Amino acid sequence: MTNRGRGHAPNEGREHVANEHRRARRPADDALPPASETPPDDLLPAPETPADDLRPAPRAGADVTWRGWRTATEQALYGPDGFYTRPGGPGPAGHFRTSVHASPLYAGAVAALLRRVDAALGHPDELALVDVGAGRGELLSGVLAALPEDVVARTRPYAVERAARPEGLDPRIAWLAELPAPGSLTGLLFANEWLDNVPVDVVETDADGVPRRVEVRADGTERLGAPVDGPDAQWLARWWPRAAPDAAAGPAPGLRAEIGRPRDAAWARAVRTLRTGLAVAVDYAHDRADRPPFGTLTGFRAGREVSPVPDGSCDITAHVALDACAGPAAERLTQRAALHALGVTGRRPPLSLATTDPAGYLRALGAAGDAAELTDPAGLGGFGWLLEPVGGTACAGLLAADGAV
């Protein structure tokens, strides 16, 4: 479970990323839904040529087994030679730049949120901070550096990550391959861009508008399999109705969807880790009323978007239906709103500071630029935050405008 953002590639400038990582493939115009169901052309994904030239040459004896995308992705990302688990890899930061990598302001904001949780829980003797999909531990290291000593002394940081523990990591951080036991911790659980890499199956409607499971080989070749049925069909009908078997718009070939049931279950299990506190998921997401008609499955490698090929050569990711993951007490807001509530606003320093403290002015100006990137509504600021209070209402509403410590 690696902390893998797609918002920014290493050494590249800002990108518009909210709901932007869509499949380049698009069905013919006569296969589109009725006009009333079709977004305007300027909202549809533009065809583009993925950077497949970056993909390594096919391995000798490559697997030609047909699998569903969920199984294929699990093997490609987390298998013995998986994209995130193979020894000696550069980690997520070697391929893309998340909010964590964009600026220490992000870790500072999570530290501020942890302090709010601490205050809401009455300053417990042990305050857990669980980072689900911890990458190389960058977020936890940054949060520990940003906390005051009295809070650090009580904080118990846990990194949940399927890759090996990196060398030189702060020894205070416990490194776990699995989530702690249900109901075992009190504090804050934070999952930054984890759910997008929980593998999911993909479906596509056939020529008769029947949604079928998409099967894939290790080289990325696809075919349509059996019709969707059972709980997966029920999930589609509730959460992605355009591609459901009984879609109200009638048969429409070529529509795609990602079945988010495994993510719903993964998030529910993560939330249950806490006895009391707050669980937060941050990811690029879409809502039931605005599901992309052709899905969002894509790949990333070396800072560039590529075709999703489940051979271990690239990241494989898809946007998250956070509304489906949300429990009954959940709160949802954008990253822009969440970070503003935590004091990250992007406000430029007064020009007078350039005269009285030139060095301080430059530092403040740089911080304002970082904050603007983190809160850009067309970029990282458009990510979704899902907040789930656990064990009562003490941690509800902690990102209200007046919720400062």
Side-chain angles (χ1 to χ4, degrees), residues 326-357:
E331 307 166 56
R332 291 181 59 208
L333 61 164
T334 65
Q335 175 157 299
R336 179 181 176 85
L339 293 185
H340 279 181
L342 292 167
V344 181
T345 64
R347 188 175 296 112
R348 294 171 64 90
L351 189 58
S352 59
L353 185 63
T355 301
T356 59
D357 183 6

PDB file of all heavy atoms in Angstrom, residues 326-357:
ATOM      1  N   ALA A 326     -17.938   6.310   1.921  1.00  0.00           N
ATOM      2  CA  ALA A 326     -18.296   7.092   3.104  1.00  0.00           C
ATOM      3  C   ALA A 326     -19.288   6.370   4.003  1.00  0.00           C
ATOM      4  O   ALA A 326     -20.286   5.815   3.539  1.00  0.00           O
ATOM      5  CB  ALA A 326     -18.864   8.447   2.677  1.00  0.00           C
ATOM      6  N   GLY A 327     -19.018   6.384   5.300  1.00  0.00           N
ATOM      7  CA  GLY A 327     -19.954   5.869   6.282  1.00  0.00           C
ATOM      8  C   GLY A 327     -21.019   6.899   6.617  1.00  0.00           C
ATOM      9  O   GLY A 327     -20.965   8.050   6.159  1.00  0.00           O
ATOM     10  N   PRO A 328     -21.988   6.529   7.438  1.00  0.00           N
ATOM     11  CA  PRO A 328     -23.121   7.433   7.718  1.00  0.00           C
ATOM     12  C   PRO A 328     -22.740   8.718   8.431  1.00  0.00           C
ATOM     13  O   PRO A 328     -23.443   9.726   8.306  1.00  0.00           O
ATOM     14  CB  PRO A 328     -24.052   6.570   8.579  1.00  0.00           C
ATOM     15  CG  PRO A 328     -23.189   5.465   9.114  1.00  0.00           C
ATOM     16  CD  PRO A 328     -22.148   5.216   8.076  1.00  0.00           C
ATOM     17  N   ALA A 329     -21.629   8.718   9.169  1.00  0.00           N
ATOM     18  CA  ALA A 329     -21.227   9.930   9.893  1.00  0.00           C
ATOM     19  C   ALA A 329     -20.127  10.698   9.179  1.00  0.00           C
ATOM     20  O   ALA A 329     -19.572  11.650   9.730  1.00  0.00           O
ATOM     21  CB  ALA A 329     -20.758   9.557  11.302  1.00  0.00           C
ATOM     22  N   ALA A 330     -19.824  10.321   7.946  1.00  0.00           N
ATOM     23  CA  ALA A 330     -18.682  10.911   7.235  1.00  0.00           C
ATOM     24  C   ALA A 330     -18.951  12.352   6.820  1.00  0.00           C
ATOM     25  O   ALA A 330     -20.088  12.742   6.564  1.00  0.00           O
ATOM     26  CB  ALA A 330     -18.352  10.078   6.006  1.00  0.00           C
ATOM     27  N   GLU A 331     -17.871  13.104   6.759  1.00  0.00           N
ATOM     28  CA  GLU A 331     -17.877  14.454   6.214  1.00  0.00           C
ATOM     29  C   GLU A 331     -16.984  14.469   4.982  1.00  0.00           C
ATOM     30  O   GLU A 331     -15.950  13.812   4.953  1.00  0.00           O
ATOM     31  CB  GLU A 331     -17.358  15.456   7.242  1.00  0.00           C
ATOM     32  CG  GLU A 331     -18.070  15.403   8.582  1.00  0.00           C
ATOM     33  CD  GLU A 331     -17.290  16.156   9.659  1.00  0.00           C
ATOM     34  OE1 GLU A 331     -17.005  17.354   9.463  1.00  0.00           O
ATOM     35  OE2 GLU A 331     -16.961  15.531  10.676  1.00  0.00           O
ATOM     36  N   ARG A 332     -17.375  15.226   3.954  1.00  0.00           N
ATOM     37  CA  ARG A 332     -16.581  15.303   2.739  1.00  0.00           C
ATOM     38  C   ARG A 332     -16.364  16.768   2.377  1.00  0.00           C
ATOM     39  O   ARG A 332     -17.282  17.585   2.473  1.00  0.00           O
ATOM     40  CB  ARG A 332     -17.268  14.585   1.582  1.00  0.00           C
ATOM     41  CG  ARG A 332     -17.327  13.064   1.743  1.00  0.00           C
ATOM     42  CD  ARG A 332     -17.993  12.412   0.554  1.00  0.00           C
ATOM     43  NE  ARG A 332     -17.264  12.729  -0.661  1.00  0.00           N
ATOM     44  CZ  ARG A 332     -17.816  12.786  -1.864  1.00  0.00           C
ATOM     45  NH1 ARG A 332     -19.106  12.586  -2.020  1.00  0.00           N
ATOM     46  NH2 ARG A 332     -17.072  13.059  -2.918  1.00  0.00           N
ATOM     47  N   LEU A 333     -15.147  17.072   1.959  1.00  0.00           N
ATOM     48  CA  LEU A 333     -14.832  18.409   1.481  1.00  0.00           C
ATOM     49  C   LEU A 333     -13.625  18.306   0.566  1.00  0.00           C
ATOM     50  O   LEU A 333     -12.987  17.260   0.453  1.00  0.00           O
ATOM     51  CB  LEU A 333     -14.570  19.377   2.632  1.00  0.00           C
ATOM     52  CG  LEU A 333     -13.408  19.113   3.597  1.00  0.00           C
ATOM     53  CD1 LEU A 333     -13.108  20.379   4.393  1.00  0.00           C
ATOM     54  CD2 LEU A 333     -13.767  18.006   4.594  1.00  0.00           C
ATOM     55  N   THR A 334     -13.317  19.394  -0.102  1.00  0.00           N
ATOM     56  CA  THR A 334     -12.159  19.397  -0.988  1.00  0.00           C
ATOM     57  C   THR A 334     -10.881  19.629  -0.186  1.00  0.00           C
ATOM     58  O   THR A 334     -10.913  20.147   0.937  1.00  0.00           O
ATOM     59  CB  THR A 334     -12.269  20.497  -2.046  1.00  0.00           C
ATOM     60  OG1 THR A 334     -12.235  21.777  -1.390  1.00  0.00           O
ATOM     61  CG2 THR A 334     -13.556  20.361  -2.860  1.00  0.00           C
ATOM     62  N   GLN A 335      -9.752  19.266  -0.779  1.00  0.00           N
ATOM     63  CA  GLN A 335      -8.486  19.550  -0.118  1.00  0.00           C
ATOM     64  C   GLN A 335      -8.305  21.044   0.076  1.00  0.00           C
ATOM     65  O   GLN A 335      -7.752  21.478   1.096  1.00  0.00           O
ATOM     66  CB  GLN A 335      -7.313  18.986  -0.923  1.00  0.00           C
ATOM     67  CG  GLN A 335      -5.956  19.356  -0.345  1.00  0.00           C
ATOM     68  CD  GLN A 335      -4.859  18.417  -0.759  1.00  0.00           C
ATOM     69  OE1 GLN A 335      -4.900  17.232  -0.471  1.00  0.00           O
ATOM     70  NE2 GLN A 335      -3.856  18.953  -1.451  1.00  0.00           N
ATOM     71  N   ARG A 336      -8.752  21.821  -0.870  1.00  0.00           N
ATOM     72  CA  ARG A 336      -8.641  23.277  -0.733  1.00  0.00           C
ATOM     73  C   ARG A 336      -9.328  23.744   0.548  1.00  0.00           C
ATOM     74  O   ARG A 336      -8.743  24.482   1.350  1.00  0.00           O
ATOM     75  CB  ARG A 336      -9.256  23.965  -1.950  1.00  0.00           C
ATOM     76  CG  ARG A 336      -9.228  25.491  -1.902  1.00  0.00           C
ATOM     77  CD  ARG A 336      -9.876  26.071  -3.156  1.00  0.00           C
ATOM     78  NE  ARG A 336      -9.956  27.519  -3.127  1.00  0.00           N
ATOM     79  CZ  ARG A 336      -8.973  28.333  -3.506  1.00  0.00           C
ATOM     80  NH1 ARG A 336      -7.835  27.823  -3.923  1.00  0.00           N
ATOM     81  NH2 ARG A 336      -9.121  29.642  -3.469  1.00  0.00           N
ATOM     82  N   ALA A 337     -10.575  23.291   0.763  1.00  0.00           N
ATOM     83  CA  ALA A 337     -11.311  23.700   1.957  1.00  0.00           C
ATOM     84  C   ALA A 337     -10.652  23.145   3.214  1.00  0.00           C
ATOM     85  O   ALA A 337     -10.561  23.840   4.242  1.00  0.00           O
ATOM     86  CB  ALA A 337     -12.764  23.231   1.861  1.00  0.00           C
ATOM     87  N   ALA A 338     -10.184  21.887   3.157  1.00  0.00           N
ATOM     88  CA  ALA A 338      -9.570  21.281   4.329  1.00  0.00           C
ATOM     89  C   ALA A 338      -8.294  22.014   4.730  1.00  0.00           C
ATOM     90  O   ALA A 338      -8.088  22.333   5.910  1.00  0.00           O
ATOM     91  CB  ALA A 338      -9.267  19.805   4.041  1.00  0.00           C
ATOM     92  N   LEU A 339      -7.434  22.303   3.753  1.00  0.00           N
ATOM     93  CA  LEU A 339      -6.172  22.974   4.080  1.00  0.00           C
ATOM     94  C   LEU A 339      -6.398  24.416   4.503  1.00  0.00           C
ATOM     95  O   LEU A 339      -5.677  24.936   5.366  1.00  0.00           O
ATOM     96  CB  LEU A 339      -5.219  22.897   2.895  1.00  0.00           C
ATOM     97  CG  LEU A 339      -4.712  21.498   2.546  1.00  0.00           C
ATOM     98  CD1 LEU A 339      -3.673  21.570   1.429  1.00  0.00           C
ATOM     99  CD2 LEU A 339      -4.118  20.800   3.763  1.00  0.00           C
ATOM    100  N   HIS A 340      -7.384  25.075   3.901  1.00  0.00           N
ATOM    101  CA  HIS A 340      -7.706  26.431   4.373  1.00  0.00           C
ATOM    102  C   HIS A 340      -8.091  26.391   5.848  1.00  0.00           C
ATOM    103  O   HIS A 340      -7.680  27.251   6.643  1.00  0.00           O
ATOM    104  CB  HIS A 340      -8.844  27.013   3.546  1.00  0.00           C
ATOM    105  CG  HIS A 340      -8.400  27.574   2.231  1.00  0.00           C
ATOM    106  ND1 HIS A 340      -9.271  28.161   1.336  1.00  0.00           N
ATOM    107  CD2 HIS A 340      -7.177  27.641   1.645  1.00  0.00           C
ATOM    108  CE1 HIS A 340      -8.599  28.565   0.266  1.00  0.00           C
ATOM    109  NE2 HIS A 340      -7.327  28.255   0.436  1.00  0.00           N
ATOM    110  N   ALA A 341      -8.899  25.386   6.240  1.00  0.00           N
ATOM    111  CA  ALA A 341      -9.315  25.276   7.640  1.00  0.00           C
ATOM    112  C   ALA A 341      -8.134  24.991   8.553  1.00  0.00           C
ATOM    113  O   ALA A 341      -8.178  25.306   9.747  1.00  0.00           O
ATOM    114  CB  ALA A 341     -10.368  24.178   7.785  1.00  0.00           C
ATOM    115  N   LEU A 342      -7.070  24.417   8.000  1.00  0.00           N
ATOM    116  CA  LEU A 342      -5.876  24.096   8.789  1.00  0.00           C
ATOM    117  C   LEU A 342      -4.796  25.160   8.663  1.00  0.00           C
ATOM    118  O   LEU A 342      -3.660  24.959   9.084  1.00  0.00           O
ATOM    119  CB  LEU A 342      -5.327  22.733   8.361  1.00  0.00           C
ATOM    120  CG  LEU A 342      -6.232  21.546   8.713  1.00  0.00           C
ATOM    121  CD1 LEU A 342      -5.785  20.282   7.984  1.00  0.00           C
ATOM    122  CD2 LEU A 342      -6.245  21.319  10.227  1.00  0.00           C
ATOM    123  N   GLY A 343      -5.141  26.287   8.057  1.00  0.00           N
ATOM    124  CA  GLY A 343      -4.229  27.423   8.019  1.00  0.00           C
ATOM    125  C   GLY A 343      -3.350  27.520   6.799  1.00  0.00           C
ATOM    126  O   GLY A 343      -2.470  28.398   6.750  1.00  0.00           O
ATOM    127  N   VAL A 344      -3.534  26.659   5.803  1.00  0.00           N
ATOM    128  CA  VAL A 344      -2.752  26.722   4.563  1.00  0.00           C
ATOM    129  C   VAL A 344      -3.586  27.462   3.530  1.00  0.00           C
ATOM    130  O   VAL A 344      -4.496  26.895   2.935  1.00  0.00           O
ATOM    131  CB  VAL A 344      -2.392  25.305   4.051  1.00  0.00           C
ATOM    132  CG1 VAL A 344      -1.567  25.387   2.778  1.00  0.00           C
ATOM    133  CG2 VAL A 344      -1.656  24.529   5.127  1.00  0.00           C
ATOM    134  N   THR A 345      -3.284  28.722   3.305  1.00  0.00           N
ATOM    135  CA  THR A 345      -4.155  29.563   2.487  1.00  0.00           C
ATOM    136  C   THR A 345      -3.518  30.077   1.212  1.00  0.00           C
ATOM    137  O   THR A 345      -4.211  30.486   0.292  1.00  0.00           O
ATOM    138  CB  THR A 345      -4.641  30.775   3.293  1.00  0.00           C
ATOM    139  OG1 THR A 345      -3.508  31.599   3.635  1.00  0.00           O
ATOM    140  CG2 THR A 345      -5.347  30.335   4.571  1.00  0.00           C
ATOM    141  N   GLY A 346      -2.199  30.141   1.143  1.00  0.00           N
ATOM    142  CA  GLY A 346      -1.557  30.702  -0.039  1.00  0.00           C
ATOM    143  C   GLY A 346      -1.552  32.222  -0.061  1.00  0.00           C
ATOM    144  O   GLY A 346      -1.258  32.830  -1.096  1.00  0.00           O
ATOM    145  N   ARG A 347      -1.856  32.838   1.046  1.00  0.00           N
ATOM    146  CA  ARG A 347      -1.887  34.304   1.104  1.00  0.00           C
ATOM    147  C   ARG A 347      -0.462  34.859   1.004  1.00  0.00           C
ATOM    148  O   ARG A 347       0.441  34.409   1.703  1.00  0.00           O
ATOM    149  CB  ARG A 347      -2.543  34.764   2.403  1.00  0.00           C
ATOM    150  CG  ARG A 347      -2.791  36.265   2.483  1.00  0.00           C
ATOM    151  CD  ARG A 347      -3.560  36.628   3.736  1.00  0.00           C
ATOM    152  NE  ARG A 347      -4.885  36.039   3.738  1.00  0.00           N
ATOM    153  CZ  ARG A 347      -5.276  35.075   4.584  1.00  0.00           C
ATOM    154  NH1 ARG A 347      -4.428  34.592   5.477  1.00  0.00           N
ATOM    155  NH2 ARG A 347      -6.497  34.596   4.528  1.00  0.00           N
ATOM    156  N   ARG A 348      -0.257  35.812   0.125  1.00  0.00           N
ATOM    157  CA  ARG A 348       1.069  36.394  -0.067  1.00  0.00           C
ATOM    158  C   ARG A 348       1.445  37.284   1.118  1.00  0.00           C
ATOM    159  O   ARG A 348       0.582  37.922   1.720  1.00  0.00           O
ATOM    160  CB  ARG A 348       1.105  37.225  -1.351  1.00  0.00           C
ATOM    161  CG  ARG A 348       0.944  36.405  -2.619  1.00  0.00           C
ATOM    162  CD  ARG A 348       0.768  37.306  -3.823  1.00  0.00           C
ATOM    163  NE  ARG A 348       1.953  38.113  -4.055  1.00  0.00           N
ATOM    164  CZ  ARG A 348       2.966  37.732  -4.828  1.00  0.00           C
ATOM    165  NH1 ARG A 348       2.935  36.559  -5.444  1.00  0.00           N
ATOM    166  NH2 ARG A 348       4.011  38.517  -5.014  1.00  0.00           N
ATOM    167  N   PRO A 349       2.728  37.327   1.473  1.00  0.00           N
ATOM    168  CA  PRO A 349       3.149  38.182   2.587  1.00  0.00           C
ATOM    169  C   PRO A 349       3.061  39.647   2.195  1.00  0.00           C
ATOM    170  O   PRO A 349       3.105  39.993   1.004  1.00  0.00           O
ATOM    171  CB  PRO A 349       4.608  37.759   2.805  1.00  0.00           C
ATOM    172  CG  PRO A 349       5.060  37.289   1.458  1.00  0.00           C
ATOM    173  CD  PRO A 349       3.856  36.616   0.853  1.00  0.00           C
ATOM    174  N   PRO A 350       2.923  40.525   3.171  1.00  0.00           N
ATOM    175  CA  PRO A 350       2.858  41.955   2.855  1.00  0.00           C
ATOM    176  C   PRO A 350       4.168  42.426   2.229  1.00  0.00           C
ATOM    177  O   PRO A 350       5.259  42.015   2.640  1.00  0.00           O
ATOM    178  CB  PRO A 350       2.613  42.611   4.217  1.00  0.00           C
ATOM    179  CG  PRO A 350       3.103  41.610   5.218  1.00  0.00           C
ATOM    180  CD  PRO A 350       2.826  40.271   4.618  1.00  0.00           C
ATOM    181  N   LEU A 351       4.055  43.289   1.247  1.00  0.00           N
ATOM    182  CA  LEU A 351       5.230  43.776   0.534  1.00  0.00           C
ATOM    183  C   LEU A 351       6.178  44.528   1.464  1.00  0.00           C
ATOM    184  O   LEU A 351       7.398  44.534   1.259  1.00  0.00           O
ATOM    185  CB  LEU A 351       4.795  44.681  -0.619  1.00  0.00           C
ATOM    186  CG  LEU A 351       5.884  45.106  -1.608  1.00  0.00           C
ATOM    187  CD1 LEU A 351       6.545  43.884  -2.232  1.00  0.00           C
ATOM    188  CD2 LEU A 351       5.293  46.014  -2.676  1.00  0.00           C
ATOM    189  N   SER A 352       5.636  45.122   2.519  1.00  0.00           N
ATOM    190  CA  SER A 352       6.476  45.863   3.454  1.00  0.00           C
ATOM    191  C   SER A 352       7.523  44.969   4.112  1.00  0.00           C
ATOM    192  O   SER A 352       8.583  45.434   4.522  1.00  0.00           O
ATOM    193  CB  SER A 352       5.606  46.522   4.534  1.00  0.00           C
ATOM    194  OG  SER A 352       4.856  45.530   5.233  1.00  0.00           O
ATOM    195  N   LEU A 353       7.235  43.660   4.195  1.00  0.00           N
ATOM    196  CA  LEU A 353       8.182  42.735   4.808  1.00  0.00           C
ATOM    197  C   LEU A 353       9.465  42.630   3.982  1.00  0.00           C
ATOM    198  O   LEU A 353      10.540  42.358   4.527  1.00  0.00           O
ATOM    199  CB  LEU A 353       7.540  41.349   4.940  1.00  0.00           C
ATOM    200  CG  LEU A 353       8.352  40.278   5.685  1.00  0.00           C
ATOM    201  CD1 LEU A 353       8.576  40.689   7.138  1.00  0.00           C
ATOM    202  CD2 LEU A 353       7.639  38.923   5.620  1.00  0.00           C
ATOM    203  N   ALA A 354       9.370  42.896   2.690  1.00  0.00           N
ATOM    204  CA  ALA A 354      10.558  42.842   1.839  1.00  0.00           C
ATOM    205  C   ALA A 354      11.579  43.893   2.240  1.00  0.00           C
ATOM    206  O   ALA A 354      12.787  43.718   2.040  1.00  0.00           O
ATOM    207  CB  ALA A 354      10.160  43.026   0.374  1.00  0.00           C
ATOM    208  N   THR A 355      11.116  44.972   2.831  1.00  0.00           N
ATOM    209  CA  THR A 355      12.004  46.041   3.263  1.00  0.00           C
ATOM    210  C   THR A 355      12.582  45.763   4.650  1.00  0.00           C
ATOM    211  O   THR A 355      13.782  45.924   4.886  1.00  0.00           O
ATOM    212  CB  THR A 355      11.257  47.377   3.286  1.00  0.00           C
ATOM    213  OG1 THR A 355      10.754  47.652   1.979  1.00  0.00           O
ATOM    214  CG2 THR A 355      12.180  48.505   3.712  1.00  0.00           C
ATOM    215  N   THR A 356      11.729  45.308   5.559  1.00  0.00           N
ATOM    216  CA  THR A 356      12.168  45.098   6.943  1.00  0.00           C
ATOM    217  C   THR A 356      12.887  43.766   7.141  1.00  0.00           C
ATOM    218  O   THR A 356      13.768  43.645   7.996  1.00  0.00           O
ATOM    219  CB  THR A 356      10.971  45.171   7.894  1.00  0.00           C
ATOM    220  OG1 THR A 356      10.015  44.160   7.520  1.00  0.00           O
ATOM    221  CG2 THR A 356      10.304  46.544   7.813  1.00  0.00           C
ATOM    222  N   ASP A 357      12.528  42.762   6.364  1.00  0.00           N
ATOM    223  CA  ASP A 357      13.114  41.423   6.513  1.00  0.00           C
ATOM    224  C   ASP A 357      13.124  40.737   5.154  1.00  0.00           C
ATOM    225  O   ASP A 357      12.289  39.868   4.872  1.00  0.00           O
ATOM    226  CB  ASP A 357      12.318  40.606   7.531  1.00  0.00           C
ATOM    227  CG  ASP A 357      12.921  39.227   7.788  1.00  0.00           C
ATOM    228  OD1 ASP A 357      14.014  38.946   7.254  1.00  0.00           O
ATOM    229  OD2 ASP A 357      12.274  38.429   8.505  1.00  0.00           O
TER     230      ASP A 357
END
